[in-house]
């Protein structure tokens, strides 16, 4: 597979694209690390923050949907592990539900 780095407009970004470099805010804080997979929610969040361009890895072949679903499942399992001791308790249950929805790409 041939891979290259390309700067694209945030409006051209699609779910599953991988960042080629850390994405920084105006103050230099890392918003998303290099290698992060963009989700619909993260793209919309970046738009709200005023991010206009992102540097992504461009591949010669399309994004593997099975790999994308597997990554989402892995992230949801991670949320479950992080909340394992307090998952059903009050506001924590609500926070866990929101994070799980976000990781599944349901929140924008």
């Amino acid at each position: 597979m041939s891979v290259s780095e390309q700067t694209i407009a945030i409006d051209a970004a699609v779910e599953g694209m991988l960042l080629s470099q850390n994405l920084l805010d105006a103050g230099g804080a890392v918003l998303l690390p290099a290698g992060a997979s963009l989700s619909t929610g993260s793209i919309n969040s970046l738009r709200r923050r005023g991010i206009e361009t992102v540097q992504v890895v461009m591949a010669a072949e399309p994004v593997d949907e099975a790999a994308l679903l597997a990554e989402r499942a892995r992230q949801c399992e991670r949320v479950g592990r992080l909340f394992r001791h307090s998952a059903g308790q009050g506001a924590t249950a609500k926070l866990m539900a929101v994070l799980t929805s976000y990781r599944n790409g349901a929140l924008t």
Side-chain angles (χ1 to χ4, degrees):
M1 170 174 72
S2 174
V3 176
S4 66
E5 180 180 312
Q6 185 174 354
T7 301
I8 61 168
I10 192 67
D11 292 332
V14 295
E15 184 175 11
M17 286 184 161
L18 299 176
L19 293 178
S20 62
Q21 297 182 9
N22 289 342
L23 184 60
L24 308 176
D25 67 7
V30 176
L31 297 175
L32 290 171
S37 177
L38 294 175
S39 67
T40 302
S42 63
I43 293 168
N44 288 331
S45 177
L46 294 172
R47 281 189 189 112
R48 286 191 300 272
R49 287 179 163 271
I51 302 297
E52 296 178 1
T53 61
V54 291
Q55 292 181 313
V56 296
V57 175
M58 300 299 289
E61 58 190 57
V63 174
D64 181 3
E65 290 296 322
L68 180 60
L69 291 174
E71 176 61 15
R72 283 183 176 171
R74 186 192 68 75
Q75 290 176 349
C76 288
E77 286 175 22
R78 173 99 173 112
V79 169
R81 280 194 309 274
L82 291 172
F83 285 85
R84 69 185 172 272
H85 297 293
S86 60
Q89 300 174 359
T92 305
K94 190 176 230 180
L95 177 60
M96 183 178 173
V98 169
L99 286 171
T100 301
S101 292
Y102 174 76
R103 290 297 184 196
N104 278 319
L107 296 180
T108 57

